[in-house]
């Protein structure tokens, strides 16, 4: 008898204070189950409702083997398709089915994807500081645990604390998180000039613009950073302005990475074909899981475009493991982000607060960091497990999201 889906459940948990959503698919074979990441941290309750109300009834009784067929079935089931809510639900199921496939084959997923093309995954971490001295201290801290690639920002993505006054803002301007794009750009160029003077040419820098400047500003900004030889500059425009990438890419020598906000293949097709992006940075669960990520990577490989998947604190260890299994097996791996709440390798090194312990209490088998590289377990499937009782101890809140209420000094909204 074929192995079938018996139940599809969505587990909400927030062990590090950030909402995570993990799908668990149980089968008609005792003890055989799979886990997948469906984490859209600002909408976990909605994705959970979608999974339990619409996706589970669609899937119960179907064969676990048919991963590609079930991906397409879910993708087109509601007729309107391609968006973060539906894609996250599909991702949770898709990763869980791959996890089951690996367990049935008795192999870690990277073996099913063609086997290892590299033995460790080079990663970067986020260094930050209120001023250049704090930033350099943070950078040196990461260098001391072996990191060679480091993202540098001063004050996260810029901007004031939500609700605090913004110097020079228009009278009676709306409450929000204010950013002065010109000031951010001037400070960032000065930052990298100083970092190169103080830290030399060996270290590899990345920087995340986080789409907070206009495309015209981005063209000049990227060019002004050319002398500092960044490994890449990230999200210089929003997905709505992806058509600008070609002009910007031709105007600067700084490699560009883009795509953590992608939810539709049409957002990246042309950018890859035209080589106006150098690294694709999609968030695996926002594009629908492992199946679309493998397809995206294979397509990009034809055009010399590499990967650097999004791996923030709002991705579960299940999703992080899926990323590393793919990174191990594809030819056009570029670099891997490994950020987040004292993220997994940081916990490995410095488990100093209850965030660390909570994450390890809920999830086992997480990818491990060692001296600049991340490694996954060789257990069959994704290699990660979840303790549902522990997960239930870290319930999710669903507050209004504040940090994305970003505004310009004149009070107008700006994409975060
Ligand atoms: C990154 C991302 C994150 C996002 C976060 C949103 O490059 O890691 O930009 O920092 O802001 O994932 O929830
Ligand atoms: Mg980013």
């Amino acid at each position: 008898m074929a192995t079938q889906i018996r139940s599809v459940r969505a587990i909400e948990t927030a062990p590090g204070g950030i909402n995570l959503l993990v799908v668990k698919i149980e089968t008609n074979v005792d003890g055989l189950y799979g886990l997948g990441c469906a984490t859209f941290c600002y909408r976990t309750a909605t994705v959970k409702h979608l999974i339990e109300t619409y996706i589970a009834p669609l899937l119960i009784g179907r064969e676990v083997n048919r991963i590609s067929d079930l991906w397409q079935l879910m993708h087109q089931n509601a007729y309107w398709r391609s968006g973060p809510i539906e894609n996250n639900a599909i991702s949770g199921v898709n990763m869980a089915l791959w996890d089951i496939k690996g367990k049935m084959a008795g192999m870690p997923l990277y073996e099913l994807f063609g086997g290892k093309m590299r033995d460790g995954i080079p990663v970067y971490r986020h260094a930050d500081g209120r001023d250049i001295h704090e930033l350099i201290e943070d950078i040196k801290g990461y260098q001391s645990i072996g990191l060679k690639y480091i993202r540098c920002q001063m004050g996260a993505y810029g901007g004031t604390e939500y609700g605090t006054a913004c110097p020079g803002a228009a009278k009676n301007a709306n409450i929000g998180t204010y950013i002065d794009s010109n000031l951010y750009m001037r400070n960032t160029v000065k930052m990298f000039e100083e970092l190169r003077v103080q830290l030399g040419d060996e270290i590899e820098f990345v920087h995340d613009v986080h789409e907070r400047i206009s495309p015209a500003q981005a063209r000049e900004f990227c060019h002004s950073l050319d002398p500092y030889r960044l490994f890449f500059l990230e999200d210089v425009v929003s997905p709505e302005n992806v058509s600008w990438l070609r002009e910007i890419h031709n105007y600067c020598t700084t490699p560009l990475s883009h795509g953590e906000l992608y939810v539709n293949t049409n957002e990246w097709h042309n950018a890859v074909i035209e080589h106006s992006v150098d690294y694709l940075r999609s968030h695996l669960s926002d594009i629908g899981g492992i199946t679309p990520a493998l397809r995206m990577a294979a397509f990009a490989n034809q055009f010399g475009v590499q990967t650097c998947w999004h791996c923030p604190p709002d991705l579960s260890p299940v999703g992080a493991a899926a990323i590393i299994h793919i990174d191990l097996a594809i030819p056009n791996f570029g670099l891997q982000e490994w950020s987040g709440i004292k993220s997994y390798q940081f916990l490995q090194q410095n488990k100093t607060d209850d965030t660390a312990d909570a994450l390890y209490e809920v999830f086992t088998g997480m990818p491990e960091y060692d001296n600049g590289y991340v490694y996954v377990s060789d257990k069959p499937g994704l290699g990660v497990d979840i303790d549902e009782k522990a997960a239930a101890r870290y319930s999710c809140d669903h507050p209004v999201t504040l940090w994305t209420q970003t505004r310009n000094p004149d009070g107008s909204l700006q994409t975060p």
Side-chain angles (χ1 to χ4, degrees):
M1 177 186 183
T3 305
Q4 293 174 339
I5 295 170
R6 197 185 62 198
S7 72
V8 182
R9 291 184 295 111
I11 303 162
E12 261 194 301
T13 184
I18 290 183
N19 292 350
L20 306 176
L21 191 66
V22 173
V23 169
K24 183 168 189 174
I25 291 184
E26 289 166 305
T27 71
N28 59 344
V29 173
D30 273 355
L32 178 62
Y33 62 87
L35 298 177
C37 183
T39 299
F40 179 3
C41 70
Y42 310 107
R43 294 292 183 269
T44 45
T46 308
V47 179
K48 176 177 167 74
H49 176 79
L50 168 61
I51 290 164
E52 293 173 347
T53 308
Y54 296 100
I55 300 291
L58 173 68
L59 297 177
I60 304 290
R62 293 185 189 265
E63 287 179 34
V64 297
N65 287 357
R66 294 175 177 256
I67 295 178
S68 301
D69 177 70
L70 293 179
W71 191 92
Q72 192 62 33
L73 183 79
M74 291 184 282
H75 178 66
Q76 63 188 52
N77 184 250
Y79 184 51
W80 281 272
R81 46 200 175 265
S82 290
I85 302 286
E86 201 82 32
N87 285 357
N88 271 278
I90 293 170
S91 165
V93 171
N94 181 255
M95 289 189 196
L97 293 174
W98 274 109
D99 192 21
I100 289 167
K101 178 87 76 180
K103 290 175 177 176
M104 291 171 76
M107 292 182 198
L109 284 195
Y110 62 75
E111 294 294 8
L112 301 189
F113 301 157
K116 286 184 178 177
M117 292 196 75
R118 55 196 59 77
D119 296 291
I121 300 302
V123 294
Y124 72 87
R125 277 276 298 165
H126 298 180
D128 202 340
R130 283 167 303 183
D131 58 38
I132 198 77
H133 308 292
E134 268 191 19
L135 174 58
I136 288 175
E137 275 318 297
D138 211 22
I139 291 169
K140 288 181 174 170
Y142 288 123
Q143 287 181 304
S144 70
I145 59 171
L147 281 155
K148 299 169 187 60
Y149 300 84
I150 297 178
R151 190 182 91 168
C152 303
Q153 320 274 136
M154 268 199 319
Y157 298 119
T160 59
E161 278 301 305
Y162 176 81
T164 54
C166 164
K171 270 191 300 191
N172 312 320
N174 254 317
I175 190 166
T177 303
Y178 277 83
I179 181 164
D180 178 336
S181 298
N182 291 311
L183 180 65
Y184 152 71
M185 290 190 293
R186 284 195 299 275
N187 289 344
T188 304
V189 173
K190 280 187 218 148
M191 175 182 86
F192 280 111
E193 186 180 21
E194 186 61 21
L195 288 178
R196 280 296 179 215
V197 166
Q198 297 222 20
L199 298 172
D201 282 337
E202 299 309 307
I203 183 170
E204 296 291 351
F205 293 132
V206 300
H207 178 72
D208 189 353
V209 178
H210 217 273
E211 63 176 2
R212 288 191 170 189
I213 55 180
S214 72
Q217 287 174 317
R219 183 179 53 215
E220 198 46 44
F221 183 54
C222 295
H223 185 56
S224 61
L225 287 171
D226 285 345
Y228 310 112
R229 260 193 346 87
L230 272 64
F231 184 80
F232 66 58
L233 199 48
E234 174 183 345
D235 282 0
V236 299
V237 293
S238 64
E240 294 86 347
N241 287 310
V242 71
S243 61
W244 274 78
L245 278 179
R246 184 176 189 174
E247 179 180 335
I248 294 168
H249 196 263
N250 292 341
Y251 187 66
C252 70
T253 56
T254 302
L256 302 181
S257 73
H258 201 248
E260 69 185 47
L261 283 161
Y262 289 160
V263 292
N264 183 316
T265 48
N266 296 323
E267 291 173 316
W268 50 266
H269 259 173
N270 291 345
V272 167
I273 291 168
E274 295 163 357
H275 319 158
S276 51
V277 65
D278 300 285
Y279 298 91
L280 286 175
R281 284 224 358 100
S282 289
H283 183 104
L284 243 61
S285 62
D286 280 331
I287 59 171
I290 290 171
T291 296
L294 291 172
R295 293 172 181 169
M296 180 191 262
F299 182 87
N301 186 46
Q302 301 301 312
F303 298 90
V305 172
Q306 295 181 294
T307 66
C308 179
W309 308 112
H310 185 224
C311 187
D314 41 305
L315 180 79
S316 71
V318 178
I323 284 174
I324 304 297
H325 280 281
I326 292 172
D327 287 346
L328 283 167
I330 56 173
N332 54 327
F333 165 80
L335 183 63
Q336 184 51 57
E337 178 179 32
W338 200 247
S339 66
I341 351 146
K342 302 245 177 283
S343 56
Y344 317 127
Q345 92 282 1
F346 192 87
L347 300 179
Q348 228 21 48
Q349 308 275 339
N350 311 287
K351 280 178 67 173
T352 52
D353 63 20
D354 55 3
T355 307
D357 296 338
L359 207 64
Y360 275 72
E361 191 189 328
V362 175
F363 295 98
T364 50
M366 287 191 269
E368 305 277 338
Y369 172 85
D370 182 76
N371 196 29
Y373 295 90
V374 162
Y375 304 88
V376 280
S377 84
D378 288 331
K379 282 189 199 150
L382 286 166
V384 178
D385 209 347
I386 187 167
D387 177 331
E388 291 194 55
K389 286 201 180 67
R393 286 197 284 275
Y394 301 98
S395 60
C396 293
D397 295 328
H398 303 101
V400 170
T401 307
L402 300 179
W403 76 271
T404 52
Q405 299 181 38
T406 40
R407 291 185 180 272
N408 301 299
D410 68 358
S412 58
L413 278 167
Q414 185 208 58
T415 50

